Amino acid sequence: MNHPVFFQPADGWVGDLIPFQKDGEFWLFYLHEVRSDPKPGTSWNLVTTKDLIQFQDHGVSLAHGTADDLDFNAYTGSIAVDETGIHHLFYTGQNPANLGADGAPLQLVMHATSSDGMKTWTKYPELTFGAPEGYETGDWRDPFVFRDEEAGQWRMLLAARHAEGPERRRGVIAQCVSSDLMKWEHTDPFWDPRRYITHECPDVFVWGDWWYMVYSEFSESFTTRYRMAKSPDGPWTVPRLDSIDGRAFYASKSAERDGRRFFFGWIASKENARDDGPWQWAGTMSVLEACQNADGTLAFSFPDELVESFWNEIPAFLDPELPTTLTVPDGYQAILTRDSMPRQFYARTVLQIGAGTTECGLLLRSSADGDRSYIIRLEPKRGRMVFDRWPRTITGDAQWHVSGDVPFDIELERPCDLSAGEHTLEVVVDGDLCVAVLDRRVALSTRIYDLADGLLGVFAGEGTVTVTELEIHQRTP
């Protein structure tokens, strides 16, 4: 049996991640989601990894409280280390039975510390605090704490909402400051764009000359975004491509090691494990590596460690052999492998895209005629990469009763540069998980449930595409 590419605990799902790098090892705390009725409280569980390939599950790290406690649900937060080496864990405490003045379940900032290297935690319920006047009591969560050396103080960012204003534009990253990590004073908002419902899981870091602010939102799109500035006080600018991934990869936060920056998030599952099922909260952990471009913007791709773990090559057996050119000025052509792909593999293809080409890309788990498949489609005329599948949703018993007016899976599109010339498309498939990366710059993650197996293919539509390389690898023979 192949070793899984993506981590998921045997007894649940991975929710929001709180990554922390310690002595070269990533300590990945996460909200442990258990789907049962009645629903249990949420704890912080822990998984560690040194190589981003092998993960050790340590189970519960910070236990949630009882049904009578303020932290029946221990939600997202962060970890900071003081000058004495004590680890301070800040988290969101929530209990559905504990309502605020506005009738919403209170969200509260809570505090725990560890003096034994994060093996055990001691809670300090007396240090708990909620939203000040002017903020909604039910949105005061995801405390992210970082040290502002220039100001000589600790800063805490919070996903919050103004108590007044347009309902879907009250989101604000609120801010508290402290000199000792124990007592916190509310101050001016860190970021107040009046743009989204809220900004979940805020994360701030400095890389070279640039500061980055990361947050997740679900009002315009369900996605994780970032902003850039030359100072932690802004002004924050919007990169041309400001999202980390698409709809399926959410609540991503980052950690650094040896000058490299990694983003840890979860790929959402779907209800009833069906392609047409609604997206669910929580899923399976995934990691992307960020690369800093010359202008400070970020590109996202697979970590090299992940790609290199697929060491065993699988012959592609394409007809015709490569390199080959697909010339279809007003049509469509696909070439497919002779043999079905394993449930877990890595594939990489290099495409020379001719000017004016409408579409090209990869077919996954395809039928022999290339008609029934998942599709990673590059659309140069629209400047985007999308995830598609055929057949789409059947809406009736007539031939035209399909969702043809939905030309790809909603929110699974990624803007990208597809100028004429050479482009590299990579994909990792592992069971019902699929992550594609274009030119080591743009990532797109999703779930693939309904088609269990099939061939791999390369296709072109209305244009000219030369396929110069196609390599397929797996981890074990």
Side-chain angles (χ1 to χ4, degrees):
M1 181 177 179
N2 289 352
H3 188 73
V5 176
F6 307 94
F7 171 78
Q8 183 180 322
D11 60 347
W13 303 84
V14 175
D16 300 351
L17 282 129
I18 303 96
F20 188 87
Q21 191 264 123
K22 177 185 175 185
D23 300 326
E25 183 176 42
F26 290 112
W27 289 49
L28 307 174
F29 300 90
Y30 67 92
L31 304 191
H32 185 234
E33 167 74 349
V34 178
R35 295 171 185 164
S36 62
D37 189 16
K39 196 172 180 64
T42 301
S43 65
W44 278 33
N45 280 26
L46 172 65
V47 59
T48 56
T49 180
K50 294 180 179 179
D51 59 7
L52 302 172
I53 304 301
Q54 301 177 79
F55 298 92
Q56 183 176 358
D57 188 358
H58 301 270
V60 175
S61 177
L62 178 77
H64 66 81
T66 69
D68 297 323
D69 291 331
L70 296 175
D71 62 349
F72 175 70
N73 291 307
Y75 287 149
T76 307
S78 62
I79 295 173
V81 186
D82 66 22
E83 65 277 4
T84 69
I86 299 294
H87 291 81
H88 293 255
L89 186 155
F90 299 91
Y91 66 106
T92 307
Q94 191 258 19
N95 188 320
N98 185 32
L99 304 182
D102 52 12
L106 277 172
Q107 291 186 345
L108 304 164
V109 173
M110 304 190 77
H111 191 171
T113 64
S114 175
S115 58
D116 60 4
M118 302 190 292
K119 295 177 183 177
T120 60
W121 296 100
T122 300
K123 295 180 181 180
Y124 296 89
E126 69 275 13
L127 299 178
T128 300
F129 65 94
E133 185 177 355
Y135 291 88
E136 293 185 359
T137 65
D139 283 280
W140 187 253
R141 63 178 176 274
D142 307 343
F144 176 80
V145 173
F146 71 101
R147 179 71 179 173
D148 185 338
E149 294 294 351
E150 185 173 335
Q153 63 183 1
W154 295 94
R155 302 171 70 166
M156 176 188 289
L157 313 185
L158 293 130
R161 278 171 55 82
H162 292 291
E164 297 181 354
E167 179 66 26
R168 69 187 183 95
R169 301 193 186 279
R170 295 184 194 170
V172 56
I173 295 183
Q175 183 174 205
C176 298
V177 295
S178 174
S179 60
D180 60 3
L181 290 172
M182 302 299 285
K183 297 179 181 179
W184 292 91
E185 178 184 352
H186 178 253
T187 186
D188 294 335
F190 184 80
W191 190 52
D192 193 9
R194 300 287 180 142
R195 173 114 164 82
Y196 300 109
I197 292 174
T198 190
H199 317 103
E200 298 193 295
C201 303
D203 179 19
V204 169
F205 61 90
V206 63
W207 193 352
D209 295 331
W210 289 97
W211 283 83
Y212 298 87
M213 171 180 60
V214 181
Y215 64 95
S216 294
E217 59 94 359
F218 51 83
S219 41
E220 180 180 288
S221 298
F222 209 105
T223 195
T224 303
R225 301 184 183 277
Y226 78 96
R227 297 290 183 262
M228 304 165 52
K230 288 292 188 176
S231 158
D233 297 314
W236 298 97
T237 59
V238 184
R240 186 178 65 84
L241 177 55
D242 70 336
S243 53
I244 311 302
D245 199 316
R247 166 63 178 85
F249 183 77
Y250 194 68
S252 176
K253 298 180 76 169
S254 70
E256 180 269 344
R257 184 175 71 184
D258 298 331
R260 301 165 67 190
R261 176 68 55 170
F262 300 92
F263 280 71
F264 300 88
W266 44 266
I267 299 177
S269 57
K270 286 192 168 187
E271 193 172 302
N272 299 320
R274 298 282 301 172
D275 287 341
D276 288 330
W279 293 106
Q280 296 174 301
W281 187 87
T284 308
M285 189 183 74
S286 181
V287 57
L288 297 170
E289 181 171 1
C291 175
Q292 190 178 48
N293 300 316
D295 62 357
T297 58
L298 302 179
F300 296 92
S301 66
F302 299 119
D304 289 339
E305 292 90 337
L306 186 149
V307 173
E308 291 166 1
S309 71
F310 290 86
W311 56 270
N312 187 55
E313 187 168 6
I314 305 172
F317 294 124
L318 287 171
D319 185 20
E321 295 182 353
L322 304 185
T324 189
T325 299
L326 309 180
T327 303
V328 281
D330 190 20
Y332 176 94
Q333 183 181 356
I335 54 173
L336 293 106
T337 58
R338 184 186 67 191
D339 302 321
S340 290
M341 293 294 102
R343 292 278 290 170
Q344 181 191 85
F345 68 90
Y346 162 83
R348 173 181 175 273
T349 187
V350 179
L351 307 173
Q352 191 75 28
I353 303 176
T357 297
T358 296
E359 64 178 19
C360 60
L362 284 173
L363 306 178
L364 305 175
R365 295 183 178 169
S366 175
S367 57
D369 61 3
D371 196 42
R372 181 182 179 91
S373 72
Y374 296 112
I375 306 153
I376 305 295
R377 187 170 62 240
L378 309 180
E379 300 180 350
K381 293 179 180 178
R382 294 185 172 97
R384 70 184 184 187
M385 171 173 60
V386 306
F387 176 81
D388 200 356
R389 55 192 163 93
W390 191 264
R392 295 180 186 144
T393 304
I394 305 300
T395 60
D397 55 8
Q399 184 182 31
W400 61 88
H401 289 168
V402 296
S403 56
D405 58 335
V406 182
F408 56 90
D409 275 14
I410 299 301
E411 293 188 293
L412 293 184
E413 66 170 320
R414 302 286 291 135
C416 53
D417 179 8
L418 287 169
S419 305
E422 184 176 284
H423 295 274
T424 300
L425 181 58
E426 300 169 275
V427 63
V428 167
V429 171
D430 188 8
D432 59 24
L433 292 148
C434 174
V435 181
V437 170
L438 175 67
D439 293 331
R440 286 296 173 107
R441 298 182 61 83
V442 180
L444 175 61
S445 304
T446 190
R447 291 277 178 174
I448 48 175
Y449 290 109
D450 295 355
L451 304 181
D453 52 45
L455 309 178
L456 184 143
V458 185
F459 72 93
E462 298 172 0
T464 301
V465 174
T466 299
V467 186
T468 59
E469 298 178 40
L470 175 62
E471 56 180 283
I472 308 165
H473 294 261
Q474 62 180 351
R475 284 183 166 182
T476 57

